[in-house]
Amino acid sequence: MEPSVSVTYIESAAMSQRKKTVIDILRDSHDFVSGEAISDVLGISRNAVHKHVKSLRKRGYSIVGVSRRGYRLEDEPVRLSMGHVAQRTEHSMFGHSFRYHDEIESTNVEAKALALKGAPEGTVVVAELQSAGKGRLGRRWTSPAGKGLLFSVILRPTLPMNDAHLLTLVAATAAAEAIEKHVPARVAIKWPNDLFIGDRKVGGILMEVSGEQDEVDWVILGIGVNVNTEFSELPVALRRTATSMKIAGGDLIDRSDVLATLLLSLEAHYKAALRAGFDKALTSFRERDYLLSRTIAVETRQGPVIGAAAGIDDRGALLVELPHRRVRSFHSGDVTLNP
Ligand code: BTN
């Protein structure tokens, strides 16, 4: 029997009928259209036309505006092809239910709401743009529309709550392997789950867990990868520390293909961990350990602890060698290099 797949396309309120019409007018004309002409056709103010154009630009449409001539559509964003992703993941645990958003607050927030309503394991929430993408430790995750991968998956493992955090190592190694299939670069993992190419971050993972009586109920794994982001599109504050797969590899990359590879890789690593335990994930992580032997500072409530990164223990905790060969382990925290 053929597996059944559900791909739901969800448009944000901002992609309302009226905005589609602005883009339709620009598409049809192949030339400049004055703001006045657009406002006449749509029966909206010039200011409203300007706002719509601004919102389309935010969504990845390249629209030039020239005074006294109006607006011209130069380029449109290449959207993810969920058909392609669904085809490649056809027999996978992540191949049955996709929710695709052109814009959303955060795929993690949406996946969590779905999990609370009982959505099954393997549900995938994808977005082209996040208005409030979440990073670890209360930080933001920003990515220009249509350039990165922004998605979250719902997992419902039979696992004690104590082991749930180890799934971040599983996700990080799965993502690192998938990225390497699309760029000629080695991907390292900065504990616990930052993905690095060279000395720059290319992606990150945000895991949220809920459980009762020590048993995991659901896990949301949110993954963000800079795929086709140009250097000039990186937030200024991150230009010294971030990169993208395209910057590292030189060529434009098929994001749909990377998403499918990543989901298949995640399935393989996840199932292996549930079947045989986390030893393989720990070993894979150790082979990619970005921090190993470097001088680092781990932020704690009592202030930074400085030492040499000494790998991870069997529970995935970061080991730091302090003076006099004393070793301390950390289960969470923010790590900086060469303090
Ligand atoms: C980090 O490096 O701090 C983690 C970043 C995780 C970002 C992804 S993007 C998709 C998903 N939705 C979110 O709001 N965050 C995660």
Side-chain angles (χ1 to χ4, degrees):
M1 205 173 64
E2 286 294 303
S4 80
V5 185
S6 142
V7 181
T8 312
Y9 295 86
I10 302 130
E11 290 201 335
S12 62
M15 283 290 277
S16 62
Q17 199 54 37
R18 208 174 247 177
K19 286 218 178 84
K20 270 189 192 159
T21 316
V22 171
I23 194 66
D24 285 345
I25 293 172
L26 294 176
R27 253 189 215 129
D28 290 349
S29 109
H30 301 287
D31 200 354
F32 281 97
V33 188
S34 71
E36 195 178 354
I38 300 174
S39 77
D40 283 352
V41 172
L42 300 180
I44 56 175
S45 70
R46 293 276 298 277
N47 194 32
V49 172
H50 178 72
K51 276 196 185 152
H52 289 171
V53 169
K54 210 170 138 190
S55 146
L56 285 164
R57 283 182 179 141
K58 199 179 82 179
R59 222 160 261 112
Y61 291 85
S62 168
I63 298 170
V64 288
V66 174
S67 64
R68 285 196 286 278
R69 297 191 71 190
Y71 302 104
R72 187 174 68 193
L73 179 65
E74 302 272 293
D75 206 2
E76 298 198 34
V78 182
R79 289 165 170 259
L80 282 165
S81 161
M82 295 315 294
H84 178 74
V85 180
Q87 199 178 31
R88 278 202 54 206
T89 55
E90 199 181 339
H91 299 286
S92 133
M93 65 176 280
F94 297 115
H96 61 83
S97 177
F98 296 96
R99 295 178 66 84
Y100 168 96
H101 296 255
D102 63 310
E103 182 174 353
I104 197 173
E105 179 190 341
S106 151
T107 57
N108 262 43
V109 170
E110 166 77 353
K112 193 167 156 180
L114 291 168
L116 288 168
K117 282 192 251 165
E121 173 162 83
T123 303
V124 182
V125 181
V126 192
E128 298 286 5
L129 180 66
Q130 292 184 132
S131 56
K134 302 201 302 178
R136 276 182 70 238
L137 308 167
R139 299 196 178 111
R140 278 293 171 95
W141 182 264
T142 53
S143 173
K147 295 296 179 94
L149 281 182
L150 309 165
F151 70 99
S152 304
V153 299
I154 298 176
L155 302 176
R156 295 188 181 278
T158 306
L159 209 61
M161 282 294 275
N162 260 346
D163 285 352
H165 68 283
L166 293 167
L167 288 171
T168 60
L169 306 185
V170 171
T173 45
E177 274 181 23
I179 292 171
E180 282 177 359
K181 291 202 170 122
H182 294 267
V183 280
R186 176 81 178 151
V187 178
I189 306 167
K190 176 174 174 259
W191 183 89
N193 46 17
D194 285 346
L195 304 164
F196 268 59
I197 292 180
D199 284 324
R200 287 163 179 269
K201 180 164 167 173
V202 70
I205 294 160
L206 176 66
M207 193 181 86
E208 299 181 63
V209 191
S210 170
E212 269 171 43
Q213 289 165 358
D214 203 35
E215 181 92 354
V216 171
D217 181 9
W218 51 257
V219 172
I220 306 300
L221 269 180
I223 303 186
V225 183
N226 298 331
V227 183
N228 287 321
T229 320
E230 305 289 350
F231 181 77
S232 60
E233 292 171 322
L234 293 170
V236 176
L238 299 182
R239 287 193 190 158
R240 283 164 177 269
T241 53
T243 190
S244 74
M245 290 171 67
K246 179 167 185 280
I247 295 170
D251 294 325
L252 199 69
I253 292 162
D254 183 335
R255 288 182 305 135
S256 314
D257 230 20
V258 183
L259 176 56
T261 310
L262 218 155
L263 291 172
L264 293 173
S265 176
L266 187 58
E267 175 181 32
H269 285 269
Y270 174 64
K271 285 189 170 166
L274 293 191
R275 201 174 47 237
F278 289 95
D279 285 358
K280 189 166 164 259
L282 292 162
T283 306
S284 307
F285 179 93
R286 289 181 180 121
E287 287 165 2
R288 295 179 182 278
D289 189 347
Y290 176 75
L291 295 175
L292 188 64
S293 303
R294 301 189 193 218
T295 303
I296 59 168
V298 185
E299 279 314 319
T300 70
R301 279 204 203 110
Q302 292 75 39
V305 175
I306 296 172
I312 54 171
D313 69 13
D314 286 348
R315 300 295 305 151
L318 177 69
L319 300 172
V320 181
E321 192 175 317
L322 306 171
H324 313 296
R325 296 195 165 266
R326 207 160 60 85
V327 175
R328 211 174 135 176
S329 63
F330 295 87
H331 293 271
S332 64
D334 197 18
V335 178
T336 46
L337 271 175
N338 305 322

